[in-house]
């Protein structure tokens, strides 16, 4: 828990609609109602994967591909930062810290929550089923069990099919 009255919300983002929805939900819950008297500081963290973790293999020709993958990951990180800044600006919320840290998202988010003495850690849920979670791992599940603060996992509402929409 944050010392004194300084409470911190750490939001983990990737380049998915799920994480942007989680960011917006965090803003709506923790910041928008208190615009004139903010109750929390906002820290947004993007865990940038490493090129080798994206490629998932090392073999002949990998060395030639790594710089291209690194460029793509850097470009994605810049887009994530820009989108987060836009979302927060749109709701008149100031970001205390916007970080891009390279590594495994589970470790990055756990360390960020501890480093910033988070009161709450907010993450989006990709909604993977049990089998997919086993193979891909669930960052939110890991953090729910290992973080030393409250963890809010935000599910994006399922969109209705066009045939169910009434215009």
């Amino acid at each position: 828990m944050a010392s004194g009255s300084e409470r911190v919300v750490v939001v983990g983002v990737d380049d998915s609609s799920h994480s942007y929805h989680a960011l917006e939900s965090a803003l709506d819950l923790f910041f928008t109602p208190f615009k004139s008297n903010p109750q929390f500081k906002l820290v947004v963290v993007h865990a940038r994967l490493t090129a080798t973790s994206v490629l998932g293999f090392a073999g002949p020709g990998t060395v030639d591909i790594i710089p291209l993958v690194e460029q793509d990951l850097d470009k994605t990180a810049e887009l994530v930062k820009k989108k987060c800044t836009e979302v927060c600006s749109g709701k008149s919320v100031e970001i205390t810290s916007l970080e891009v840290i390279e590594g495994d998202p589970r470790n990055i988010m756990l360390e960020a929550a501890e480093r910033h003495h988070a009161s709450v850690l907010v993450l989006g849920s990709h909604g993977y089923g049990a089998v997919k979670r086993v193979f891909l791992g669930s960052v939110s599940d890991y953090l729910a069990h290992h973080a030393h603060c409250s963890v809010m996992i935000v599910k994006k509402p399922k969109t209705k099919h066009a045939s169910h929409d009434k215009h």
Side-chain angles (χ1 to χ4, degrees):
M1 187 88 165
S3 60
S5 63
E6 187 175 286
R7 298 186 299 174
V8 179
V9 174
V10 174
V11 181
V13 293
D14 57 18
D15 190 30
S16 72
S17 60
H18 303 278
S19 70
Y20 297 129
H21 178 71
L23 174 60
E24 288 185 16
S25 295
L27 298 178
D28 291 342
L29 285 170
F30 299 109
F31 295 92
T32 306
F34 310 102
K35 276 187 187 172
S36 60
N37 184 21
Q39 304 292 307
F40 294 90
K41 289 189 173 192
L42 176 62
V43 176
V44 179
V45 180
H46 171 61
R48 181 190 171 282
L49 299 173
T50 61
T52 52
S53 71
V54 170
L55 293 171
F57 66 90
T62 305
V63 175
D64 300 330
I65 297 170
I66 288 177
L68 299 173
V69 174
E70 290 286 350
Q71 283 179 341
D72 189 53
L73 291 169
D74 287 341
K75 200 179 296 182
T76 299
E78 287 305 312
L79 290 171
V80 168
K81 286 170 58 176
K82 183 179 179 204
K83 173 78 174 174
C84 290
T85 301
E86 289 170 359
V87 168
C88 292
S89 293
K91 293 188 180 274
S92 303
V93 175
E94 182 182 335
I95 300 174
T96 303
S97 179
L98 177 53
E99 305 171 2
V100 176
I101 304 169
E102 185 176 286
D104 182 304
R106 293 171 291 204
N107 298 331
I108 298 300
M109 295 312 303
L110 188 60
E111 291 165 7
E114 291 173 6
R115 184 173 63 256
H116 292 286
H117 307 287
S119 299
V120 64
L121 176 60
V122 180
L123 306 156
S125 171
H126 286 262
Y128 296 143
V131 174
K132 222 174 192 181
R133 276 197 313 269
V134 168
F135 289 104
L136 297 177
S138 170
V139 174
S140 56
D141 186 56
Y142 177 85
L143 292 166
H145 288 92
H146 293 89
H148 296 295
C149 63
S150 296
V151 177
M152 184 172 110
I153 301 168
V154 180
K155 287 185 174 185
K156 189 174 178 193
K158 293 185 191 244
T159 55
K160 294 180 181 177
H161 298 290
S163 61
H164 297 310
D165 291 345
K166 294 180 182 176
H167 295 279

